[in-house]
Amino acid sequence: MDLAVIWFAAIAVLWIGYFVLEGFDFGVGILLPFLGRTNTDRRVMINAIGPVWDGNEVWVLTAGGAMFAAFPAWYASLFSGFYLPLLVVLLALIARGVAFEYRGKVDDERWRARWDQAIFWGSALPALLWGVAFANIVRGVPMDADHIVTAGLLDLLNPYALLGGLTTLSLFTLHGAMFLSLKTGGEVRAQARRAVPAIALVAVPAASGFLLWTQVSYGTTWTLPLAAVAATALIAAVVLSLRGREGWSFTATATTIATATVVLFGSLFPNVLPSTTNPLYSLTVENASSADYTLTVMTWVAVIFLPLVLAYQSWSYWVFRKRITREHIEPTPAYTAHSGTA
């Protein structure tokens, strides 16, 4: 098989990993001011993702690096045309990472409240903007014969893209609530379970509508069953959560996110960035890829190192698999040396 096609599929897998894993991180951050009634409860929520959030972000770094190496023309056009929203995502991720480390440094309510706001916005903005960005990638953008994106900010804020942003925002929030109900105990777990129906009132119609729009306008024959699986899994996740099947409900939202991402990449292929100016100006898997030698070297590197990365991340999830409760939190908000705790 063509190495360019293989690397297109590999990049899709990297984005699936990022959205599934970082998705619940974003969801926890979005829910922080709503479910964390006390500082102890907020610390329970933050400590639930503390050991894994930074490892989850490695997926987007790897995806960006793979795009740069395998499809440099795609990377260049995408990151120049989407410069402003991607800059906002970057700044939000930086602020969120700093907030995780610094909120517990000072025993002061106002200090912690500021960093909690940074965690919220640092989670909500990327959750929204990733959906806007990927919807525009599938829809296509104004691009000339030199593959220079000529779209302005208002061009990116079209109805389809805004629905995509609402879908990822609400879906990641629901995914985060499922994770908290699975990973925490006590009051935080109870509040997370109570929040699921309210979040689902937005997530289910938004995701279903976005999947339907994607399938009708850009989908292919083989993406249709995947879109149906994504919508069905989302409904099943809500039902399972209401029945107290927390592990299965989390698995179901993860399935929705994964299959929906496959639908987006499947609808995009063989393009990597369609041009709405003229289809002949579109970037495709073939005309945007690196040379075969580069792709061959990348393949061998991935074959050697990817299993090691997956083994390490799986091990970290296994080590920190137990529920977090108020009993695990110190009575005073003292700073601990472990990364991600607060």
Side-chain angles (χ1 to χ4, degrees):
M1 187 182 293
D2 190 344
L3 283 176
V5 176
I6 292 174
W7 271 101
F8 178 83
I11 290 170
V13 170
L14 291 172
W15 281 107
I16 290 170
Y18 176 65
F19 287 147
V20 169
L21 298 177
E22 189 79 334
F24 69 74
D25 285 352
F26 288 148
V28 171
I30 293 167
L31 292 169
L32 187 66
F34 303 103
L35 303 188
R37 304 292 178 83
T38 66
N39 180 53
T40 299
D41 286 344
R42 289 190 291 272
R43 292 183 68 202
V44 169
M45 296 173 67
I46 293 172
N47 285 14
I49 60 174
V52 298
W53 71 267
D54 47 357
N56 293 342
E57 287 192 348
V58 171
W59 287 82
V60 72
L61 298 176
T62 308
M67 291 171 66
F68 172 76
F71 300 98
W74 183 19
Y75 182 93
S77 296
L78 183 64
F79 278 76
S80 61
F82 291 62
Y83 181 81
L84 183 57
L86 292 179
L87 177 62
V88 173
V89 168
L90 176 61
L91 294 176
L93 293 178
I94 292 173
R96 188 177 70 124
V98 172
F100 282 141
E101 301 293 343
Y102 274 78
R103 79 174 300 275
K105 292 281 191 177
V106 178
D107 186 7
D108 180 76
E109 285 296 329
R110 289 181 298 178
W111 171 272
R112 288 191 291 267
R114 294 189 188 100
W115 290 118
D116 288 345
Q117 286 295 313
I119 293 173
F120 170 77
W121 289 109
S123 302
L125 287 175
L128 173 69
L129 292 177
W130 282 130
V132 172
F134 270 85
N136 275 298
I137 292 172
V138 173
R139 176 180 179 269
V141 293
M143 186 167 56
D144 62 23
D146 295 322
H147 300 145
I148 297 175
V149 176
T150 58
L153 180 61
L154 294 180
D155 294 318
L156 301 179
L157 300 179
N158 54 79
Y160 176 69
L162 292 175
L163 180 57
L166 179 62
T167 297
T168 50
L169 177 63
S170 58
L171 194 54
F172 290 166
T173 304
L174 183 64
H175 196 36
M178 300 297 188
F179 176 78
L180 287 174
S181 66
L182 176 65
K183 190 67 172 62
T184 65
E187 184 61 22
V188 173
R189 177 189 180 192
Q191 290 187 60
R193 292 183 62 179
R194 287 195 294 266
V196 166
I199 303 169
L201 288 176
V202 178
V204 172
S208 300
F210 181 67
L211 286 167
L212 179 61
W213 192 339
T214 301
Q215 180 60 41
V216 170
S217 299
Y218 313 105
T220 63
T221 303
W222 71 270
T223 59
L224 178 59
L226 291 174
V229 168
T232 302
L234 180 57
I235 296 172
V238 179
V239 174
L240 289 167
S241 176
L242 294 176
R243 294 183 177 180
R245 305 295 297 273
E246 295 161 344
W248 284 110
S249 63
F250 178 76
T251 302
T253 53
T255 301
T256 296
I257 294 171
T259 50
T261 307
V262 174
V263 169
L264 291 177
F265 276 89
S267 301
L268 181 63
F269 185 83
N271 294 317
V272 293
L273 189 60
S275 171
T276 57
T277 305
N278 187 330
L280 296 177
Y281 301 159
S282 298
L283 285 169
T284 67
V285 169
E286 294 301 326
N287 67 21
S289 67
S290 295
D292 283 344
Y293 179 78
T294 301
L295 298 177
T296 301
V297 172
M298 290 176 61
T299 302
W300 281 109
V301 171
V303 168
I304 295 171
F305 289 103
L306 183 59
L308 300 177
V309 174
L310 293 176
Y312 173 77
Q313 191 160 28
S314 299
W315 174 81
S316 66
Y317 272 90
W318 175 256
V319 170
F320 297 103
R321 67 189 181 277
K322 294 184 178 179
R323 289 184 184 271
I324 304 295
T325 65
R326 290 178 174 178
E327 287 70 28
H328 293 96
I329 304 299
E330 300 176 59
T332 57
Y335 172 72
T336 62
H338 181 67
S339 175
T341 57

